[in-house]
Amino acid sequence: MTSQPTPHSTHPPVKAILFDLDDTLWHLAPTLVKAEAILYDWLNEHIPGVTQRFSNEELRELRMELLPTDPQFQFNVWALRHAALTRACHLTSENKDLVDQAMAVFSVARNAVNPFVDVTPGLTSLSERFALGSVSNGFADLGEIGLASYFQVSIAAHQFGSAKPGAEIFHAACAALDVAPHEAIYVGDDPTLDIQGAQNAGLRAVWMNRFDHTLPDHIVPTASVTNLYELDAWLKRA
């Protein structure tokens, strides 16, 4: 763990901790690969024209083509995937009415994440001393995943209407927990969305570096940790 100043030495006491989800509480990439494979198998059975025309990679390319066509796609990845599948059905003269079913299949697989081993004990310990919340640009369902009980508020960009690194979504989470931004810390893995975004919104930011990455020189988090045990230890230091 990177050596950092104690959290209470020059700052007001921490009252709340906000968490990013993907790649902070679980590894996203293998979950997405599996979810897209499950969806593709379902499409092959129920909307075969799509899989005859598009490979999984080509469906990703279609999403990227659609990304700049609607402002909401910048923060609503569910809507982007839905639109891409609808477009694929249109291009293959398939039944677009099945897209909702396809997205339901994908969502179930998307939520079949494996939290890192420190997550449940870490959240259990932290929730005894702090108000906890989550702020995510993804569309993971904490209820389906089994972690919702640890969080007093969970804000997802696709429901909120704007995304990190914008300050609004951080401020909304702080308001929901009845804390000022300077009384909260945000824990996340992304240098721009999480660290810069939280700091620009007036929160302290802790970098969750589970994969031994390197931060750009201009981004300086309040602390750096590799798991929730280290986060808990940092917060306990007086």
Side-chain angles (χ1 to χ4, degrees):
M1 180 174 64
T2 303
S3 176
Q4 298 288 348
T6 59
H8 309 308
S9 59
T10 59
H11 296 285
V14 174
K15 294 183 179 180
I17 307 171
L18 300 173
F19 288 91
D20 172 53
L21 298 177
D22 296 328
D23 291 329
T24 295
L25 300 187
W26 54 75
H27 194 186
L28 178 61
T31 302
L32 278 184
V33 169
K34 185 175 181 180
E36 290 182 352
I38 290 171
L39 173 60
Y40 198 78
D41 288 343
W42 188 92
L43 293 171
N44 195 48
E45 180 178 355
H46 298 279
I47 318 179
V50 169
T51 55
Q52 290 168 9
R53 169 80 177 271
F54 297 97
S55 66
N56 237 336
E57 180 58 36
E58 287 169 333
L59 287 174
R60 294 188 193 104
E61 292 172 358
L62 185 57
R63 290 196 297 274
M64 293 304 99
E65 290 174 11
L66 288 176
L67 183 59
T69 67
D70 189 327
Q72 74 161 325
F73 293 158
Q74 300 296 325
F75 59 82
N76 192 336
V77 290
W78 189 95
L80 175 60
R81 286 184 177 274
H82 191 285
L85 285 177
T86 301
R87 177 64 175 162
C89 286
H90 174 75
L91 293 172
T92 56
S93 300
E94 283 281 12
N95 183 7
K96 68 179 187 305
D97 293 337
L98 293 176
V99 171
D100 284 347
Q101 294 181 43
M103 285 301 301
V105 169
F106 178 80
S107 295
V108 170
R110 167 66 171 81
N111 285 317
V113 301
N114 293 308
F116 296 113
V117 294
D118 56 282
V119 167
T120 296
L123 291 177
T124 299
S125 177
L126 292 168
S127 65
E128 294 172 353
R129 311 193 314 278
F130 304 99
L132 303 186
S134 71
V135 176
S136 175
N137 283 3
F139 64 95
D141 187 324
L142 288 171
E144 292 294 325
I145 292 167
L147 296 176
S149 62
Y150 293 105
F151 298 94
Q152 293 173 236
V153 61
S154 295
I155 299 181
H158 71 280
Q159 296 169 330
F160 182 68
S162 66
K164 301 179 297 184
E168 296 87 357
I169 196 167
F170 294 104
H171 290 166
C174 290
L177 293 175
D178 195 27
V179 299
H182 66 268
E183 296 173 320
I185 64 171
Y186 188 78
V187 183
D189 69 290
D190 189 279
T192 302
L193 301 181
D194 298 333
I195 306 307
Q196 272 195 324
Q199 290 176 333
N200 289 341
L203 290 75
R204 283 164 277 177
V206 174
W207 186 38
M208 180 61 75
N209 185 18
R210 292 188 181 273
F211 307 109
D212 195 26
H213 292 161
T214 301
L215 282 174
D217 291 340
H218 67 283
I219 295 179
V220 182
T222 307
S224 299
V225 299
T226 64
N227 54 57
L228 294 191
Y229 298 131
E230 292 183 1
L231 175 67
D232 203 355
W234 176 73
L235 285 162
K236 286 177 178 176
R237 291 204 299 271

